């Protein structure tokens, strides 16, 4: 799997802020160091100057001593000796200060010690000069020597002091140079770092403002959809609730309050509130199923009644689901539907259904009556007539014989009528078992069934290849028999019947008769004959039960055959039409769904 | 009346039908002895009576008061000493349901009462000359309903 870094907005911001903070910390540490360096360098400067000053003080103290001694030696006035005497203390003080200042520098310390030795020697030379200049111990040669030696010592001291000063100066210069280098690196680097941090913060700001903008849009969308939801709940008569299992807080949608017969937010719901409104009959079942949701994480549809405060009973249907969100909290979501209207409608439908079942039963018992009780007397009439022997008939008058014949004909016709009526009701009431059948085979069966009449009439049948369909085979056979039989029966006298059967696949939207059918593809089977045809104004009537276009003496029949055809086609969710012009044959069209 | 005469029993509540049946048998050439019972209850009493000589063929109407032909058929087939009785259903009805039910319950043949006396005679002739052993062993739904060609 490809790894895709998934930065959501808040993580992204977090990263930017952490980087910015690090940059700022870094910058402030650089500034701190910079400051410290400056401090160090100024301290160093001070140190160098202090040493310098202290060394000069030392020099001047010795020079004071020299000047004082010279004044005394010339004037012999003791007042001139005072600076000389104080100079020792001054030298010591300066020396201690210098010792402290050079404590960290071994080279300077050594130099200082050398100076110290030189100074001591200088003071010894001072003493000697005083000694040999005094009148009691005056010695010109020795005095000159010591005076000269003093001069050289002074120069040495001067030299050493200069050396120390220059060492300090060098050290100072070196350090300053180093700091300068460090400090000169600082500003460009800090400024660029600062700019980077600024860029990051700007980026974060942009991100935040973008997010805010998006949030505003989503908020607006949310507002619209929650408004829509509330509206659709009202229209659709349903409501929602959510139950946070962690906090045990339950929230009802506004419409739930309304469905229960309250104003929105009329009370604060808790776990048991809802049960108060459930009809006593259903309380236990609802309580159990509420327990069940937590265990099964799902609530299958439950049906129950609630009682509104005005004692009105409403029928509810509910379902629910346990939802675990990203933060791992468990929330139960539920939907309650008010199905009272549907429920009442269902009851009505059920009543209608029961009525239909009753009517069907009555129809079945009517069939029974027709098949048994009506046929029984008829059969007896016919049997008794058949028992009137030829000898009995001979004894009758001519008119008597004719009446007997008419009784027989009428009774026979009644039997045909009853049989056809039974056949008609059978196409309606018997089990409809659809079997995939080859219509060509069924057609062949029909042809052999009608073979005698076809031969008799010298009829010519031409049929296309027919499809295989899910049909009730004996009914389709009956359909073919009735349609072909009809064409054979109503042929034109003296002309051999010619029946053409054509079949094609069509789409229902091309034919207004079947456009309302749920099927799209149909087979259109046409039966075209060259018979006597009929007046097209009867093209719908001929399918009505007992409707006949010819007198029964010319063409015997009951007027049930085409009614049966219509019933059969309807049983197959198809449609049948007829069209004709008198003397020009007729066309019967059967649409059967694929 | 001869001893080897065919023993026929008709269970039918209709007086006219019994009359036709009796007349038709009289005109048939085979020697027969025809007895009648008038309803299902009487039929079962007659058959259960140990003194009764069982008929060779029982003609059973379906639509009878007190006990229908179907109920009688089921009872007969459940009774040990009667279950091999040859039973011809003799009914006005030709409904598929009746034919199917009596076939399943074990009747041997189904005759639709004809509406012509001559046809009745023909049917009776056919039935009494039928080789029952052969017919019963090859019994199926197609030859169960007697049709005259």
């Amino acid at each position: 799997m490809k790894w895709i870094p998934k930065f959501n907005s808040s993580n992204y911001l977090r990263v930017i802020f952490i980087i910015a903070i690090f940059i700022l910390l870094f910058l402030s540490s650089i500034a701190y160091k910079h400051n410290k360096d400056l401090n160090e360098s100024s301290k160093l400067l001070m140190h160098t100057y202090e040493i310098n000053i202290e060394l000069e003080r030392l020099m001047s103290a010795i020079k004071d001593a020299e000047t004082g001694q010279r004044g005394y030696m010339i004037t012999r006035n003791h007042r001139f000796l005072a600076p000389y005497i104080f100079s020792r203390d001054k030298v010591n003080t300066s020396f201690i200060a210098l010792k402290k200042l050079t404590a960290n520098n071994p080279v300077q310390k050594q130099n200082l010690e050398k100076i110290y030795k030189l100074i001591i020697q200088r003071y010894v030379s001072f003493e000697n000069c005083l000694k040999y200049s005094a009148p009691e111990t005056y010695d010109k040669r020795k005095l000159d020597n010591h005076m000269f030696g003093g001069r050289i010592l002074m120069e040495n001291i001067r030299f050493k002091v200069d050396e120390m000063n220059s060492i300090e100066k060098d050290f100072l210069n070196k350090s300053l140079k180093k700091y300068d280098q460090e400090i000169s690196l600082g500003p460009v680097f800090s400024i660029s770092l600062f700019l980077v941090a600024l860029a990051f913060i700007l980026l974060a700001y942009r991100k935040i403002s973008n997010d805010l903008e998006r949030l505003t849009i989503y908020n607006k969308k949310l507002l619209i959809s929650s408004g829509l939801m509330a509206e659709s709940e009202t229209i659709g008569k349903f409501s929602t609730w959510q139950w946070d299992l962690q906090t045990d807080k339950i929230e009802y949608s506004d419409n739930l309050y309304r469905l229960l017969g309250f104003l929105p937010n009329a009370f604060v719901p808790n776990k048991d509130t809802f049960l108060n409104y459930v009809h006593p009959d259903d309380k236990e079942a609802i309580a159990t199923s509420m327990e069940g949701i937590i265990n099964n994480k799902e609530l299958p549809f439950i049906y129950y009644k609630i009682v509104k405060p005005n004692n009105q009973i409403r029928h509810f249907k509910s379902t629910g689901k346990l939802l675990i969100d990203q933060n791992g909290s468990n929330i139960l979501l539920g939907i309650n539907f008010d199905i009272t209207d549907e429920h009442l409608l269902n009851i009505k439908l059920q009543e209608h259904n029961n009525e239909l079942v009753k009517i069907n039963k009555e129809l079945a018992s009517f069939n029974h009556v027709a098949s048994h009780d009506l046929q029984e007397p008829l059969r007896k009439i016919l049997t008794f007539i058949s028992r009137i022997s030829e000898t009995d008939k001979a004894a009758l008058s001519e008119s008597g014989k004719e009446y007997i014949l008419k009784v027989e004909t009428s009774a026979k016709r009644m039997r045909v009528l009853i049989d056809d009526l039974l056949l008609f009701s059978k196409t309606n009431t018997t089990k409809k078992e659809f079997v995939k059948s080859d219509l060509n085979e069924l057609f062949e069966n029909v042809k052999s069934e009608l073979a005698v009449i076809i031969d008799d009439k010298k009829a010519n049948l031409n049929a296309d290849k027919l499809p295989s369909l899910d049909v009730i085979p004996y009914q389709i056979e009956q359909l073919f028999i009735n349609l072909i039989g009809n064409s054979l029966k109503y042929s034109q006298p003296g002309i051999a019947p010619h029946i053409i059967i054509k079949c094609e696949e069509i789409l229902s939207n091309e034919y207004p008769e079947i456009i309302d059918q749920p099927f799209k593809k149909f087979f259109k089977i046409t039966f075209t004959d060259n018979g006597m045809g009929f007046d097209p104004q009867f093209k719908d009537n001929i399918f009505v039960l007992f409707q006949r276009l010819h007198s029964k003496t010319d063409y015997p029949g009951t007027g049930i055959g085409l009614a049966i055809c219509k019933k059969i086609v309807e049983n197959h969710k198809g449609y049948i039409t007829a069209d004709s012009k008198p003397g020009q044959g007729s066309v019967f069209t059967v649409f059967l769904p694929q | 009346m001869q001893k080897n005469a065919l023993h026929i029993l008709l269970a039918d509540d209709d007086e006219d039908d019994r009359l036709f049946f009796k007349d038709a048998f009289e005109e048939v050439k085979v020697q027969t002895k025809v007895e009648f019972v008038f309803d299902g209850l009487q039929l079962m009493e007659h058959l259960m009576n140990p003194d009764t000589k069982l008929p060779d063929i029982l003609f059973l109407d379906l639509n009878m008061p007190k006990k229908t032909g179907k109920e009688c058929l089921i009872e007969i087939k459940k009774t040990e000493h009667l279950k091999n009785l040859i039973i011809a259903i003799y009914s006005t009805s030709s409904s598929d349901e009746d034919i199917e039910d009596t076939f399943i319950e074990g009747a041997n043949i189904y005759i639709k009462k004809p509406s012509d006396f001559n046809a009745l005679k023909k049917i009776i002739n056919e039935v009494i000359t039928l080789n029952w052993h052969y017919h019963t062993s090859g019994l199926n739904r197609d030859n169960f309903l007697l049709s005259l060609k």
Side-chain angles (χ1 to χ4, degrees):
Chain A
M1 211 174 90
K2 214 172 133 190
W3 184 78
I4 303 162
K6 208 177 153 196
F7 273 96
N8 66 29
S9 199
S10 67
N11 273 346
Y12 182 75
L13 283 177
R14 231 169 264 163
V15 168
I16 286 178
F17 274 116
I18 286 170
I19 290 174
I21 283 172
F22 270 106
I23 288 173
L24 286 176
L25 278 177
F26 189 60
L27 274 178
S28 54
S29 72
I30 282 179
Y32 173 73
K33 182 153 189 303
H34 191 171
N35 244 348
K36 221 173 123 191
D37 284 356
L38 264 179
N39 223 359
E40 286 290 313
S41 64
S42 61
K43 257 190 202 164
L44 216 61
L45 205 65
M46 278 296 285
H47 179 77
T48 311
Y49 282 127
E50 269 175 80
I51 287 180
N52 202 314
I53 286 167
E54 220 46 63
L55 283 170
E56 286 310 319
R57 265 192 201 147
L58 194 66
M59 278 306 289
S60 72
I62 296 170
K63 274 182 187 160
D64 280 354
E66 204 176 26
T67 318
Q69 192 200 33
R70 274 185 200 147
Y72 174 72
M73 274 159 61
I74 295 166
T75 61
R76 285 281 147 194
N77 188 338
H78 277 274
R79 266 169 53 198
F80 287 104
L81 265 184
Y84 169 72
I85 293 161
F86 290 137
S87 77
R88 277 210 99 122
D89 286 341
K90 277 186 188 167
V91 165
N92 276 341
T93 317
S94 288
F95 208 79
I96 287 162
L98 278 170
K99 218 174 178 178
K100 261 187 201 164
L101 286 169
T102 57
N104 289 330
N105 194 333
V107 180
Q108 292 293 68
K109 227 168 147 182
Q110 254 178 6
N111 282 337
L112 197 65
E113 261 160 40
K114 277 180 191 159
I115 288 174
Y116 189 64
K117 274 181 196 155
L118 286 171
I119 289 171
I120 289 171
Q121 283 176 7
R122 179 74 185 105
Y123 272 93
V124 171
S125 130
F126 274 146
E127 289 300 318
N128 284 330
C129 284
L130 276 182
K131 192 175 154 194
Y132 293 115
S133 69
E136 350 21 306
T137 52
Y138 183 77
D139 182 339
K140 193 186 179 302
R141 200 185 50 88
K142 274 187 182 171
L143 182 65
D144 284 354
N145 276 351
H146 280 293
M147 283 293 272
F148 193 69
R151 183 79 250 143
I152 288 167
L153 274 172
M154 257 329 257
E155 263 165 35
N156 279 348
I157 287 169
R158 180 88 249 168
F159 180 74
K160 268 288 163 206
V161 164
D162 284 348
E163 199 184 300
M164 269 185 87
N165 267 335
S166 86
I167 285 173
E168 278 302 318
K169 225 177 203 165
D170 278 355
F171 182 67
L172 179 70
N173 281 339
K174 241 192 236 163
S175 296
L176 283 179
K177 220 176 190 174
K178 206 173 93 197
Y179 288 137
D180 268 356
Q181 264 171 0
E182 275 179 17
I183 289 164
S184 71
L185 244 181
V188 177
F189 188 60
S190 338
I191 283 173
S192 51
L193 270 181
F194 169 74
L195 286 177
V196 170
L198 197 69
F200 270 108
I201 286 168
L202 280 176
L203 213 67
Y205 172 75
R206 225 191 100 200
K207 185 81 192 147
I208 287 171
S209 70
N210 268 355
D211 283 359
L212 269 177
E213 213 169 290
R214 267 166 58 203
L215 220 62
T216 321
I217 292 168
Y218 283 129
N219 253 341
K220 207 169 156 190
K221 276 187 185 167
L222 205 66
L223 210 69
I224 291 170
S225 68
S226 69
L228 266 178
M229 185 69 186
E231 201 59 32
S232 60
E233 280 190 14
T234 320
I235 294 166
K237 288 195 178 163
F238 71 96
S239 56
T240 53
W241 49 266
Q242 38 183 297
W243 176 5
D244 191 326
L245 292 179
Q246 256 85 41
T247 58
D248 218 15
K249 250 175 132 179
I250 297 180
E251 256 180 61
Y252 284 2
S253 72
D254 286 355
N255 209 37
L256 185 50
Y257 290 99
R258 286 190 207 109
L259 291 182
L260 291 174
F262 292 91
L263 287 171
N265 299 314
F267 54 85
V268 178
N270 67 41
K271 193 161 78 166
D272 302 315
T273 323
F274 191 72
L275 273 182
N276 297 340
Y277 306 107
V278 174
H279 192 279
D281 291 355
D282 299 322
K283 267 198 172 115
E284 211 183 305
I286 295 300
T288 351
S289 65
M290 270 165 101
E291 293 297 316
I293 322 177
I294 299 166
N295 298 329
N296 306 331
K297 305 198 177 349
E298 212 172 40
L299 172 67
F301 277 115
I302 42 167
Y303 297 86
Y304 55 98
K305 300 186 284 292
I306 61 136
V307 186
K308 280 193 178 182
N310 59 7
N311 285 328
Q312 198 190 2
I313 290 178
R314 303 291 290 178
H315 293 264
F316 267 39
K317 172 172 94 169
S318 295
T319 182
K321 208 175 187 181
L322 187 70
L323 213 80
I324 299 169
D325 77 357
Q326 287 167 323
N327 305 329
S329 52
N330 293 331
I331 297 173
L332 265 180
L333 294 181
I335 304 182
N336 296 349
F337 299 89
D338 184 331
I339 53 161
T340 313
D341 296 346
E342 288 95 319
H343 185 78
L344 296 178
L345 211 68
N346 261 344
I347 288 173
K348 222 177 219 174
L349 262 179
Q350 192 58 45
E351 278 169 7
H352 283 273
N353 256 351
N354 290 344
E355 210 164 297
L356 275 178
V357 168
K358 216 173 92 192
I359 289 170
N360 256 345
K361 267 190 191 153
E362 276 166 11
L363 197 68
S365 76
F366 166 77
N367 284 343
H368 190 80
V369 167
S371 64
H372 288 91
D373 305 335
L374 286 182
Q375 288 206 45
E376 194 132 321
L378 193 61
R379 185 174 48 77
K380 281 187 199 158
I381 292 168
L382 283 164
T383 315
F384 277 119
I385 290 168
S386 74
R387 294 204 65 187
I388 299 170
S389 62
E390 291 306 315
T391 32
D392 291 336
K393 278 181 189 164
L396 284 172
S397 68
E398 277 309 305
S399 53
K401 273 186 225 169
E402 204 188 311
Y403 296 153
I404 291 280
L405 197 67
K406 285 210 186 287
V407 170
E408 194 179 354
T409 317
S410 296
K412 276 186 178 158
R413 178 162 169 74
M414 176 137 184
R415 197 182 56 190
V416 174
L417 268 171
I418 290 176
D419 282 347
D420 279 2
L421 203 57
L422 266 179
L423 193 64
F424 176 76
S425 72
K426 232 169 76 182
T427 45
N428 218 8
T429 54
T430 46
K431 270 187 221 156
K432 288 160 189 161
E433 280 171 4
F434 286 80
V435 183
K436 184 100 187 161
S437 317
D438 183 356
L439 262 52
N440 298 298
E441 257 173 51
L442 301 182
F443 178 66
E444 287 306 315
N445 295 346
V446 169
K447 257 187 7 193
S448 60
E449 185 117 330
L450 296 172
V452 179
I453 319 171
I454 291 172
D455 267 8
D456 246 21
K457 297 239 177 186
K458 299 186 172 54
N460 188 4
L461 269 68
N462 268 341
D464 275 0
K465 196 177 176 300
L466 299 173
S468 285
L469 291 174
D470 281 322
V471 295
I472 309 164
Y474 81 90
Q475 289 201 352
I476 293 296
E477 275 184 22
Q478 187 70 52
L479 173 73
F480 287 177
I481 287 174
N482 288 5
L483 289 177
I484 295 169
N486 231 36
S487 291
L488 294 171
K489 187 168 160 188
Y490 299 106
S491 59
Q492 302 213 50
I495 300 174
H498 188 200
I499 303 166
I500 302 163
I501 299 157
K502 283 197 175 297
C503 177
E504 59 175 318
E505 280 183 63
I506 55 112
L507 294 174
S508 62
N509 55 14
E510 295 165 17
Y511 293 85
E513 302 94 325
I514 47 169
I515 201 155
D516 298 333
Q517 295 286 346
F519 304 97
K520 269 190 132 174
K521 283 183 173 174
F522 278 78
F523 280 106
K524 177 188 170 198
I525 306 171
T526 53
F527 295 78
T528 311
D529 65 38
N530 58 346
M532 56 178 55
F534 57 88
D535 189 329
Q537 65 170 303
F538 299 118
K539 66 182 183 185
D540 293 323
N541 274 1
I542 56 171
F543 293 109
V544 178
L545 200 61
F546 297 127
Q547 285 287 326
R548 294 173 47 81
L549 302 180
H550 304 272
S551 84
K552 58 177 180 283
T553 38
D554 298 342
Y555 293 93
T558 52
I560 293 176
L562 287 177
I564 289 175
C565 288
K566 188 166 184 232
K567 198 103 255 172
I568 288 172
V569 174
E570 279 169 4
N571 282 346
H572 289 82
K573 313 256 182 275
Y575 194 82
I576 186 168
T577 63
D579 204 6
S580 179
K581 272 179 193 159
Q584 290 180 18
S586 43
V587 184
F588 285 87
T589 309
V590 175
F591 296 95
L592 291 176
Q594 279 193 26
Chain B
M1 207 164 277
Q2 287 182 11
K3 277 217 163 157
N4 61 350
L6 203 60
H7 185 184
I8 303 291
L9 179 63
L10 171 67
D12 198 331
D13 61 310
D14 191 301
E15 201 192 333
D16 295 330
D17 276 329
R18 291 200 300 269
L19 178 69
F20 295 147
F21 201 77
K22 196 169 149 258
D23 290 351
F25 265 99
E26 272 166 11
E27 290 184 27
V28 168
K29 295 197 172 64
V30 179
Q31 280 296 318
T32 50
K33 181 189 156 210
V34 183
E35 284 183 313
F36 299 100
V37 284
F38 306 148
D39 59 54
L41 269 184
Q42 208 190 351
L43 170 69
M44 291 320 292
E45 266 170 32
H46 178 78
L47 291 177
M48 291 299 187
N49 188 339
D51 300 334
T52 305
K53 187 181 174 289
L54 291 179
D56 294 311
I57 304 171
L58 167 66
F59 286 81
L60 183 60
D61 185 20
L62 291 181
N63 197 13
M64 284 191 294
K66 291 179 190 166
K67 197 174 257 182
T68 68
K70 261 185 225 176
E71 285 168 327
C72 292
L73 175 64
I74 293 167
E75 240 180 281
I76 288 167
K77 288 295 165 187
K78 271 188 192 158
T79 310
E80 189 55 37
H81 74 284
L82 298 176
K83 68 176 183 191
N84 291 322
L85 205 61
I86 290 169
I87 299 170
I89 302 297
Y90 184 61
S91 170
T92 319
S93 154
S94 62
S95 81
D96 293 341
E97 194 193 338
D98 285 340
I99 295 170
E100 181 85 16
D101 287 354
T102 51
F103 175 76
I104 288 167
E105 295 302 340
N108 298 75
I109 201 158
Y110 193 104
I111 302 160
K112 185 176 184 278
K113 287 180 181 173
S115 47
D116 185 285
F117 189 66
N118 288 323
L120 179 60
K121 281 198 286 186
K122 260 193 196 165
I123 285 170
I124 284 171
N125 214 17
E126 185 102 352
V127 170
I128 59 179
T129 54
L130 202 65
N131 182 341
W132 284 105
H133 179 72
Y134 176 76
H135 179 83
T136 310
S137 66
L139 189 62
N140 62 43
R141 270 164 221 238
D142 294 334
N143 61 20
F144 178 61
L145 178 65
L146 182 75
S147 59
L148 292 173
K149 273 139 200 145

